[in-house]
Amino acid sequence: MAEPRSAVVTGASRGIGRGIALALARRGWRLTLVARDPARLALVAASAVELGASDVDTVAVDLADPAAPATVLSGYRPDALDALVLAAGVGSAAPLDGYPVGRYDKQFALNTRAPFLLIRSALPLLRAAARRDPAHGARVIALASIGGVYAEPSLAVYGATKAALLALCRGLNAEESAAGVLATAIAPGYVDTDMSAWVHDEVPPSSMIPVSDVVDTVTTLLDLSARTVVNEIVLSRAGTRGYAA
Ligand SMILES: NC(=O)c1ccc[n+]([C@@H]2O[C@H](COP(=O)([O-])OP(=O)(O)OC[C@H]3O[C@@H](n4cnc5c(N)ncnc54)[C@H](OP(=O)(O)O)[C@@H]3O)[C@@H](O)[C@H]2O)c1
């Protein structure tokens, strides 16, 4: 019997990351779920087991801490990693004029440095998965944002963290795709999760992208062959001109 495919999913306790984790569980994947809140992670892990995950580990860690990515992979048991899903992220909206440097640093630490550190430490495991399953290869899937592609007032700093993530994914493809390690940055407009609740007065949840559409995008990417690179996918909200969050 073929080994189950394995994934590390950050931001798995809530929102988009949770949705992706549960979809992979339904497909029998072996999962490592990462976020800060151990109680929420335990609930998602229990649901994942119920839905058919082969095995589930949780790592409760603050990924903004530079030592955390090493912690995530130090306890990782499989000898290969088919998918690294980077969904943990934070956004802090305010105009550039007077923007606090502490908020800038926090967002870059979580949204950009943690993905870089995780990708760098996971590369040997991703390459091992690509050798074992050359048809699919191994994929890094990073949740960027439409704010990393098009300008949005008050989202310049958040957008900058996500633009860097888009560039990291392109760079990874340039360096590793020939060997079967591929990356995609998904850049959605507002998705209906806790993160976008602050904007409900202007953008009602019923007009936001549902988590399930982002999840379906991820599972489609994971079904593709290793011969196809998808650097980025922009998901725009209906009713906008395509360039707005
Ligand atoms: N929602 C949107 O409108 C939208 C649009 C475009 C892109 N995105 C991006 O999509 C990704 C997922 O967003 P979401 O809407 O699902 O957000 P969410 O509902 O706020 O969930 C964020 C997830 O990240 C985890 N997390 C937050 N800070 C963390 C930290 N310091 N260390 C480890 N884990 C941390 C949270 O768990 P804990 O609190 O337990 O740590 C949670 O699991 C993010 O990267 C976001 O930037 C979201």
Side-chain angles (χ1 to χ4, degrees), residues 4-5 7 28-33 45 48-49 52-57 77-78:
R5 292 168 85 192
W29 283 53
R30 185 169 187 171
L31 299 172
T32 301
L33 308 178
V49 169
S54 301
D55 191 23
V56 186
D57 284 329
R77 286 173 290 126

Side-chain angles (χ1 to χ4, degrees), residues 145-159:
S145 164
I146 203 165
V149 185
Y150 304 116
E152 187 81 17
S154 289
L155 293 184
V157 172
Y158 174 70

Side-chain angles (χ1 to χ4, degrees), residues 135-234:
H136 285 108
R139 292 209 181 243
V140 173
I141 298 179
L143 265 299
S145 164
I146 203 165
V149 185
Y150 304 116
E152 187 81 17
S154 289
L155 293 184
V157 172
Y158 174 70
T161 69
K162 297 301 192 176
L165 200 49
L166 283 145
L168 263 180
C169 288
R170 286 185 217 119
L172 186 65
N173 285 324
E175 293 180 13
E176 297 284 336
S177 63
V181 178
L182 311 146
T184 302
I186 300 178
Y190 287 122
V191 180
D192 182 16
T193 68
D194 294 350
M195 185 183 260
S196 54
W198 66 281
V199 84
H200 280 177
D201 285 351
E202 286 165 47
V203 184
S206 58
S207 74
M208 290 183 179
I209 295 166
V211 167
S212 58
D213 285 356
V214 183
V215 171
D216 289 346
T217 305
V218 171
T219 54
T220 300
L221 285 165
L222 294 173
D223 285 343
L224 294 180
S225 93
R227 291 160 62 180
T228 302
V229 170
V230 183
N231 277 302
E232 57 232 6
I233 299 179
V234 175

